[in-house]
């Protein structure tokens, strides 16, 4: 019975399909485990116990009635709290949205439900997805299942922790500058940021509209692919959604499991994302992964992307600018918190300002002020305008690189999971943490993060990022599944099976918010 | 509010040269809003036509209405604008409770249409060319109701209520370049320009064009420059002037007010001003200042609008005849005197008369009925004349008069029946039994009876005193209760008198 | 590089409608100075000949047909309102219209 939570989504889906396990059993097993460990991990902001069991029972009934269901029907899933859900609070990790239940579902959530997946609840995140550690959640941080004293990455620390702590086989994340791939790296899980426009943003609470993408979070490449197939595709409600007909990511992942999948694949190592500032164990595991790839017939070469050094700067102009405008709607009129000023006249203007002061955390305020500055008259050209030009240069770097190689690789993050509080005081240090993942968002290309081992110096997971040209998401799944298979063959097990067990009896000393 | 000092208009013109500019917002009559599929109608219950997008809920995203783009391109073409090869929406960021997202999605540096012109003709025949700087697309705001306080105005209100049904309704904002040389005609130019825009959007069918409902709203910019000076004066922007008469009055008022202020050594503050219909004055609104920093940037949730030249030409081919040209043509076709034609135009009955003529009526009859009886009934009912009766029905009515079935007096009764929904004119004639009695037999009997009753009259007629027939005709018409053709009665009376022995 | 002043941050806070305390303004002034110093390097390579990219995967002319679809119910629309009055959202007094 306990084993239900350790199964991959693909395996669990098989057992559900052949009737050897019911969705209610699988769902209850995950809910029980959440009950047992989430006080420590704090991956969830909301657990929808009754609704999940009801949804599971409905799937079981449909299956019993002979209906043919979608491949992942009955499989539980955790949903990042950035997504609007009509039956669960959707707070984006912010106090200003505490308790807000949207009157609608995000398109991706609607697709999940239509495919019969069972939403378990909403996962924790940095407030409005601003952060790389989940320390900026208004509801207290999520803890890394590998070491409860360390960050699970961010902003999607909750989704990554939920899958790596076996609280859910699958989760949805959102990635604006690495919020899926970086948490995957530090928790030993898999995460994919699809091509910009590949997955609908309708109902995803916007951070930076031109960078945000929703994507799958899982424990295996195949599982991510199966989830990608559920959520991907054109959505007329999102004007930036690509009208393309997409190939099956599941098929692409399965192709990667075939022998010889890596033979002749040209792999480019990005020179600028493999130098100083990377932890030694990260570099070591990354180099080993390259050797494994070469051993499997891949052709490894170094490629240069000279403009990547401007990526973090461009990102921290574009993101705050768009965010300052996207977050203007939090004004205490139509939804969310309202706070009256402590003194003085009660006017709309003053109530809005008091609400936004009380409702937003320090990082959100910092970025709104920065973005307001970057857009203000007289500075637009120097900041926002210049940053959009850097985007062009970064796209050109990608174009040049992809004219020589099939995929690009780098470590997913410069370091393994850091300790709580380590980078909180220095925003720039925190921002530089996303140096590896940001270029893909600026250029719109897809990227995947997957585990490649533990750093010898701290025993914590290390991730590899693989990127493909825009629209070539399938290539990531073939490559990722092939590499994952080679690594697991070498280890003899999955990386996550090395994670220290989380026991229900373990009491973590730190109270929420005390870090 | 304190009455501002005004300078005599002629005196103001002696000292200063007025410079005008207009921003006219036209609400498009699409079925749905600009960026979501909610119905574009806001007479219903509050907040009934709202969704996550137009309510600015977290996660809502805009989707552009194709019809609104088409309407805007057609309007741009009708204003002789260049249609952009590529245009873009931007965000205009400012906080206000009627603006759900706290930014207005509007076009900024890349409007859909630009560099146009419109020539208007004043009553005295003067032609004025108004250059159009741009016509750009944007969305309307929700509607605020102010509660508490004495006036129902925003000043002094205790709180306000918001209805977002109008939020996100598509607008085209038409911005003129500076209009110089208007001189004493400036108020009339204002009125005529807005009337011309209204006429164009109506002819295009892109807007309901009812100013009283806010479908067309004008912001009027006025500045004065001392005679002989090259330097532009500081301008004021009088917002939301919502009738043609008010536009004219507001411009006249601003010229007089600014002139008085300048002549007294004062300075004009660059500000928005509110127009007060009741007092015919403007009052200071918000000053424009450096704090107005809208932080425009390209709307990242939308992609560029790049209309192909084929599409633009296709839309150009759907343009109606320009209203001014059409008026010239119709007046010529119909042979109306200037006053007759003006009467039709001013009563907004051009379409009605044209439709009636097209349905077979003579132009003069059509004009007479529409500007006469129908306009009178419409006025009494408080509705537009065209909503009372269709041109085809009026034409049918006129045909019945022309063929002698109806007298004018009977036709008025038939018209009432048609308006009351009793059917076509022919059906009303049948149902009400209103036709002129054309059965000579019944008439002859009545005439013979009348002649017999008045032998002295009969004698006079036989003596050749034909005018004496009037008494008999009157008696016959009375006997027939008016349902006889007087001319025919006269004919028959003379005939019967001749043969009566 | 222009120096960021506390007055400037206070003005930005007003534009962004956030009622920051003097301490927050002081801290943000320092943060902003540091961040802006660092990110301003974008102008080194953003030369006039480089076009701006606002959408990473370019699209154009994405339109929707002018067909009405069901709106939210009034109750759904108002479900999150901090304060309502009948079927309208209620807000405190507004200083002046725009
Ligand atoms: Mg405007
Ligand atoms: Zn709507």
């Amino acid at each position: 019975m306990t084993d239900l939570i350790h199964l991959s989504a693909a395996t669990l889906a098989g057992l559900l399909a052949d009737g050897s396990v019911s969705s209610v059993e699988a769902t209850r097993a995950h809910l029980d485990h959440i009950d047992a460990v989430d006080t420590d991990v704090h991956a969830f902001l909301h657990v929808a116990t009754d609704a999940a069991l009801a949804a599971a029972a409905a799937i079981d009934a449909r299956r019993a009635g002979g209906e043919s269901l979608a491949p992942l029907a009955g499989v539980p899933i955790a949903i990042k709290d950035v997504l609007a859900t009509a039956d669960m609070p959707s707070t984006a990790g912010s106090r200003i949205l505490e308790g807000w239940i949207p009157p609608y579902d995000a398109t991706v959530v609607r697709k999940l439900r239509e495919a019969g997946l069972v939403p378990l609840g909403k996962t924790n995140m940095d407030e409005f997805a601003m952060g790389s550690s989940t320390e900026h959640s208004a509801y207290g941080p999520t803890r890394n299942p590998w070491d409860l004293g360390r960050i699970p990455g961010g902003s999607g620390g909750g989704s990554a922790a939920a899958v790596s702590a076996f609280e859910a086989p699958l989760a949805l994340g959102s990635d604006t500058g690495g919020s899926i791939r970086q948490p995957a790296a530090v928790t030993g899980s898999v995460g994919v940021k699809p091509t910009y426009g590949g997955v609908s943003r309708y109902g995803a609470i916007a951070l930076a509209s031109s960078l945000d993408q929703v994507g799958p979070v899982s424990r295996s490449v195949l599982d991510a692919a199966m989830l990608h197939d559920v959520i991907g595709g054109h959505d007329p409600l999102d004007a930036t959604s690509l009208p393309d007909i997409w190939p099956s990511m599941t098929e692409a992942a399965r192709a990667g499991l075939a022998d010889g999948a890596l033979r002749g694949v040209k792999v480019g190592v990005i020179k600028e994302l493999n130098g100083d500032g990377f932890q030694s164990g990260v570099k070591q595991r990354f180099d080993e992964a390259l050797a494994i790839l070469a051993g499997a017939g891949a052709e490894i070469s170094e490629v240069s992307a000279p403009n990547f050094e401007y990526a973090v700067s461009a990102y921290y102009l574009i993101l705050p600018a768009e965010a300052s405008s996207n977050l203007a709607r939090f004004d205490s009129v139509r939804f969310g918190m309202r706070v009256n000023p402590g003194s003085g006249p009660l006017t709309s203007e003053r109530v809005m300002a008091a609400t936004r002061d009380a409702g937003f955390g320090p990082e959100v305020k910092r970025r709104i002020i920065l973005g307001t500055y970057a857009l203000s008259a007289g500075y637009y050209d120097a900041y926002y305008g210049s940053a959009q030009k850097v985007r062009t240069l970064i796209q050109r770097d990608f174009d040049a690189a992809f004219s020589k190689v099939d995929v690009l690789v780098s470590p997913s993050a410069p370091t393994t999971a850091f300790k709580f509080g380590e980078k909180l005081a220095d925003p720039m240090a925190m921002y530089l943490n996303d140096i590896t993942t940001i270029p893909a968002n600026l250029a719109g290309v897809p990227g995947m993060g997957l585990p490649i081992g533990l750093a010898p110096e701290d025993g914590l997971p290390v991730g590899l990022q693989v990127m493909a040209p825009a629209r070539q998401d399938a290539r990531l799944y073939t490559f990722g599944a092939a590499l994952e298979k080679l690594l697991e063959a070498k280890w003899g097990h999955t990386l996550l099976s090395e994670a220290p067990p989380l026991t229900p009896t373990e009491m973590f000393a730190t109270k929420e918010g005390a870090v | 509010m304190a009455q501002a000092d005004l300078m005599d208009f002629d005196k103001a013109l002696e000292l200063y040269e007025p410079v005008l500019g207009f921003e006219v917002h036209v609400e498009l009559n699409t079925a749905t809003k600009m960026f979501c599929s909610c119905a574009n109608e806001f007479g219903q219950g509050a907040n009934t036509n709202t969704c996550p997008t137009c309510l600015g809920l977290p996660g809502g995203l805009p989707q552009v209405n194709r019809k609104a783009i088409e309407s805007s391109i057609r309007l741009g073409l009708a204003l002789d604008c260049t249609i952009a090869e590529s245009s873009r929406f931007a965000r205009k960021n400012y906080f206000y409770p009627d603006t759900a997202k706290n930014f207005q999605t509007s076009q900024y540096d890349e409007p859909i249409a630009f560099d146009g012109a419109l020539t208007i003709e004043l009553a005295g025949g003067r032609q004025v060319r108004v250059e159009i700087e741009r016509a750009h697309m944007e969305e309307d705001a929700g509607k605020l109701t102010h509660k508490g306080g004495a006036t129902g105005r925003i000043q002094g209100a205790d709180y306000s209520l918001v209805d977002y049904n109008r939020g996100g309704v598509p607008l085209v904002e038409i911005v003129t370049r500076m209009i110089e040389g208007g001189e004493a005609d400036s108020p009339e130019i204002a009125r005529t320009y807005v009337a011309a825009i209204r006429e164009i959007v109506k002819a295009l069918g892109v807007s309901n064009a009812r100013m009283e409902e806010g479908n067309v709203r004008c912001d009027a910019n006025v500045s004065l420059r001392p005679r002989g000076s090259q330097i532009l004066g500081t301008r004021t922007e009088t917002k939301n002037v919502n009738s043609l008469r008010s536009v004219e009055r507001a411009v006249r008022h601003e010229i007089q007010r600014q002139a008085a202020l300048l002549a007294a050594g004062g300075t004009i503050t660059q500000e928005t001003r509110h127009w007060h219909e009741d007092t015919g004055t403007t009052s200071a609104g918000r000053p424009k200042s450096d704090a107005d920093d809208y932080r425009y940037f390209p709307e990242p949730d939308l992609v560029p609008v790049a209309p192909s030249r084929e599409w633009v030409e296709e839309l150009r081919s759907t343009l109606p005849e320009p209203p001014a040209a059409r008026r010239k043509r119709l007046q010529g076709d119909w042979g109306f005197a200037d006053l007759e034609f003006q009467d039709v135009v001013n009563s907004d009955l051009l379409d009605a008369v044209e439709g009636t003529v097209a349905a077979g009526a003579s132009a003069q009859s059509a004009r007479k009925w529409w500007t006469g009886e129908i306009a009178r009934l419409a006025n009494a009912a408080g509705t537009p004349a065209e909503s009372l009766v269709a041109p085809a029905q009026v034409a049918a009515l006129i045909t019945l008069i022309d063929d002698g079935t109806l007298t004018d007096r009977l036709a008025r009764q038939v018209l009432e029946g048609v308006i009351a929904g009793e059917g076509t004119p022919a059906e009303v004639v049948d149902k009400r039994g209103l036709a002129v009695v054309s059965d000579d037999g019944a008439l002859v009997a009545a005439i013979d009876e009348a002649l017999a009753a008045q032998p002295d009259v009969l004698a006079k007629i036989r003596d050749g005193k034909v005018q004496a027939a009037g008494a008999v005709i009157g008696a016959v018409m009375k006997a027939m209760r008016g349902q006889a053709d007087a001319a025919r009665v006269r004919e028959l009376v003379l005939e019967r008198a001749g043969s009566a022995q | 590089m222009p120096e960021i002043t506390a007055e400037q941050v206070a003005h930005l806070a007003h534009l962004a409608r956030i009622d920051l305390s003097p301490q927050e303004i002081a801290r943000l002034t320092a943060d902003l100075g540091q961040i802006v110093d660092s990110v301003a390097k974008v102008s080194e390579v953003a030369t006039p000949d480089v076009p701006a990219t606002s959408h990473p995967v370019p699209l154009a002319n994405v339109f929707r047909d002018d067909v009405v679809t069901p709106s939210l119910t009034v109750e759904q629309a108002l479900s999150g309102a901090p304060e309502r009055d009948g079927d309208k959202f209620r807000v405190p007094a507004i200083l002046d219209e725009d």
Side-chain angles (χ1 to χ4, degrees), chain A residues 338 348 357 365-366 388 392 395, chain C residues 24 31 51 53 56 83 92-93:
Chain A
R338 178 179 290 183
S348 269
D357 179 48
K365 291 179 189 174
R366 179 154 46 217
Q388 297 285 48
T392 307
Q395 279 196 327
Chain C
E24 282 178 304
D31 285 355
T53 293
E83 198 179 359

Side-chain angles (χ1 to χ4, degrees), chain A residues 153-165:
Chain A
S155 66
S159 284
V163 299
S164 55

Side-chain angles (χ1 to χ4, degrees), chain A residues 171-504:
Chain A
L172 286 184
S174 69
D175 189 314
T176 304
S179 287
I180 288 175
R181 291 161 289 160
Q182 182 260 6
V186 298
T187 58
S189 54
V190 175
V192 177
K193 181 205 91 74
T195 294
Y196 183 80
V199 177
S200 171
R201 294 184 295 114
Y202 186 77
I205 299 174
L207 170 54
S209 308
S210 73
L211 302 165
D212 297 346
Q213 270 298 286
V214 174
V217 174
S218 66
R219 292 190 294 261
S220 80
V221 172
L222 176 61
D223 286 2
M226 292 177 79
L227 182 51
H228 193 141
D229 283 336
V230 173
I231 60 174
H234 182 243
D235 179 13
L237 294 177
D238 175 358
T240 63
S241 170
L242 296 171
D244 303 40
I245 306 295
W246 297 87
S248 162
M249 303 301 160
T250 305
E251 290 310 311
R254 292 221 165 94
L257 299 175
D259 284 343
L262 289 167
R263 193 157 305 134
V265 173
K266 298 196 191 78
V267 177
V269 178
I270 303 163
K271 189 175 125 198
E272 286 76 9
L273 296 182
N274 191 30
D276 299 338
F278 286 75
Q279 191 179 315
S280 67
V282 169
K283 278 181 68 67
Q284 183 186 331
R285 293 301 180 223
F286 180 67
D287 290 341
E288 289 167 9
L290 294 180
I292 288 173
L293 290 166
E299 296 166 20
I300 315 287
S301 63
E302 189 177 72
V303 296
S304 176
N307 293 294
F308 279 22
E309 73 163 293
Y310 300 97
V312 172
S313 295
Y315 178 80
Y316 279 100
L317 288 165
I318 293 166
L319 178 144
E322 294 184 6
S324 70
S325 176
N326 283 332
L327 268 57
R329 64 188 61 197
F330 298 89
D331 63 357
S332 79
V333 176
R334 296 161 308 285
F335 55 83
M337 175 193 236
R338 178 179 290 183
V339 171
N340 290 337
S343 59
L346 210 59
T347 65
S348 269
E349 184 174 312
R350 299 187 76 242
V351 170
M352 282 184 193
T355 300
R356 290 163 64 80
D357 179 48
F360 290 147
E363 181 63 20
V364 174
K365 291 179 189 174
R366 179 154 46 217
R367 295 201 196 182
I368 289 176
I369 298 295
L370 175 58
T372 305
Y373 174 74
L375 288 176
S376 56
Y379 297 106
Y380 178 91
D381 287 339
Y383 295 135
Y384 190 77
S386 295
Q388 297 285 48
K389 290 182 170 193
V390 168
R391 254 179 126 148
T392 307
L393 297 173
I394 285 169
Q395 279 196 327
R396 288 177 183 171
D397 282 358
F398 271 114
D399 288 347
F402 284 127
S403 72
K404 297 189 202 107
V405 299
D406 301 315
V407 293
L408 289 166
V409 295
S410 76
S412 291
T415 67
T416 56
F418 49 87
K419 293 198 174 82
F420 286 115
E422 210 174 293
K423 298 189 179 178
L424 266 185
D426 182 355
M428 237 13 253
M430 187 75 98
Y431 296 172
L432 284 168
N433 202 53
D434 295 334
I435 190 163
T436 48
T437 46
I438 280 172
N441 298 83
L442 289 173
V445 304
M448 169 187 285
L450 73 161
I452 52 170
L454 303 178
E457 63 269 33
D458 54 18
L460 292 168
V462 174
L464 174 139
Q465 173 183 227
V466 50
M467 292 177 280
R471 297 184 158 91
Q472 303 303 321
D473 305 49
R475 204 179 285 178
L476 299 180
Y477 287 104
T478 303
F479 177 91
L483 175 58
E484 179 186 68
K485 185 183 167 196
L486 293 171
L487 289 165
E488 290 183 357
K490 181 182 151 198
W491 301 329
H493 51 71
T494 64
L495 189 74
L496 272 170
S497 60
E498 287 188 49
L502 292 161
T503 57

Side-chain angles (χ1 to χ4, degrees), chain B residues 30-34 36-38 47-48 50 63-66 88 95-96 145 157-162 164 286 300 302-306, chain C residues 11 15-17 54-55 59-69 71-72 74 77 85 87-94 96-98:
Chain B
T30 49
T32 65
K33 295 187 180 184
M34 183 68 238
C36 65
S37 302
C38 290
N47 293 303
T48 47
T50 62
Q63 312 95 33
V64 173
N65 183 338
R66 179 187 284 107
R88 242 186 339 185
F95 282 84
Y96 210 69
T145 319
D158 296 325
Y159 62 94
S160 301
L161 303 178
V162 203
Y164 291 100
R286 210 169 46 83
L302 291 174
V303 301
V305 177
Chain C
H11 174 63
L15 281 179
R17 291 288 186 281
S54 25
H55 283 280
L59 285 174
N61 296 329
V62 177
F63 303 130
R64 151 184 78 73
D65 289 340
D66 187 27
V67 176
V68 177
T69 60
S71 293
L72 295 173
V74 177
D85 189 330
D87 288 343
K88 294 180 178 172
F89 297 89
R90 179 171 165 157
V91 297
I94 300 167
D96 192 9
E97 47 204 323
D98 192 53

Side-chain angles (χ1 to χ4, degrees), chain B residues 145-422:
Chain B
T145 319
H146 306 296
K147 295 286 180 179
T151 57
R153 284 192 192 138
I154 191 163
Q155 297 87 356
D158 296 325
Y159 62 94
S160 301
L161 303 178
V162 203
D163 170 8
Y164 291 100
N165 281 349
R166 195 182 61 186
V169 163
L171 298 176
V172 176
E173 178 175 341
I174 302 162
V175 183
T176 67
R177 292 193 209 286
M178 272 188 317
I179 304 166
E180 297 173 275
E183 299 296 349
D185 291 331
S186 292
E188 192 193 346
I189 287 171
R191 177 198 175 97
T192 311
Y193 169 71
V194 177
I197 294 289
R198 197 176 140 258
E199 196 175 46
I200 286 169
V201 299
K202 205 175 158 207
L204 288 167
V206 298
S207 172
N208 296 338
R210 285 198 276 273
M211 290 192 79
E212 67 279 10
E213 287 178 20
N215 300 148
V216 176
R217 313 196 281 263
C218 177
D219 300 345
N221 297 324
V222 177
S223 70
L224 296 183
R225 128 169 99 195
R227 292 278 159 201
S229 168
Q230 294 303 308
I231 302 151
L232 280 173
T234 304
R235 68 187 171 89
T236 62
E237 181 179 359
T238 306
K239 303 285 275 186
N240 289 326
V241 193
N242 291 342
S243 76
L244 295 178
R245 182 166 168 268
S246 297
V247 171
E248 181 163 6
R249 290 170 76 205
V251 167
R252 175 180 294 269
H253 179 269
E254 267 307 284
I255 291 172
Q256 292 180 271
R257 187 190 68 85
Q258 290 186 19
L261 197 55
L262 290 171
T267 52
I268 307 298
T269 314
Q270 189 175 347
E271 63 192 0
T272 61
R273 296 188 68 83
H274 305 305
W275 169 250
H276 304 286
E277 186 67 50
D278 46 354
T279 55
T281 59
T282 63
S283 66
R286 210 169 46 83
K288 294 266 178 193
S289 74
D290 296 340
D292 291 337
D293 183 348
Y294 293 119
R295 291 156 283 134
Y296 284 99
F297 72 106
E299 165 57 278
D301 286 324
L302 291 174
V303 301
V305 177
S308 72
R309 297 302 94 179
E310 293 73 34
W311 191 26
V312 171
E313 289 318 306
E314 197 182 306
L315 291 171
R316 193 192 301 276
S317 72
T318 69
L319 295 187
E321 183 181 14
R326 173 172 172 243
R327 281 200 309 268
K328 282 219 157 57
R329 177 177 59 80
L330 289 178
Q331 188 177 354
D333 287 356
W334 296 343
F336 287 0
D338 283 355
L339 277 179
E340 288 173 337
F341 193 73
Q342 270 319 308
D343 194 18
V344 174
V345 171
N346 292 343
S347 315
D348 220 355
L349 288 168
L350 217 47
D351 289 344
V353 172
E354 190 185 26
T356 308
V357 171
S362 77
Q364 281 298 357
S365 305
R367 181 191 63 77
K368 193 186 84 180
W369 278 92
W370 279 105
T371 61
E373 185 64 10
I374 303 172
R376 190 184 64 77
L377 292 170
N379 211 21
T383 52
E386 277 168 292
S387 70
L388 282 186
V389 56
Q393 307 278 50
V394 178
L397 187 74
I398 291 169
T399 303
L400 290 175
I401 298 163
D402 290 349
D403 71 11
T405 306
L406 294 175
T407 60
D408 276 12
R409 199 175 69 81
L410 286 174
R412 282 196 287 275
Q413 293 179 47
V414 172
L415 178 64
E416 278 169 21
V418 172
I419 290 171
E422 292 167 26

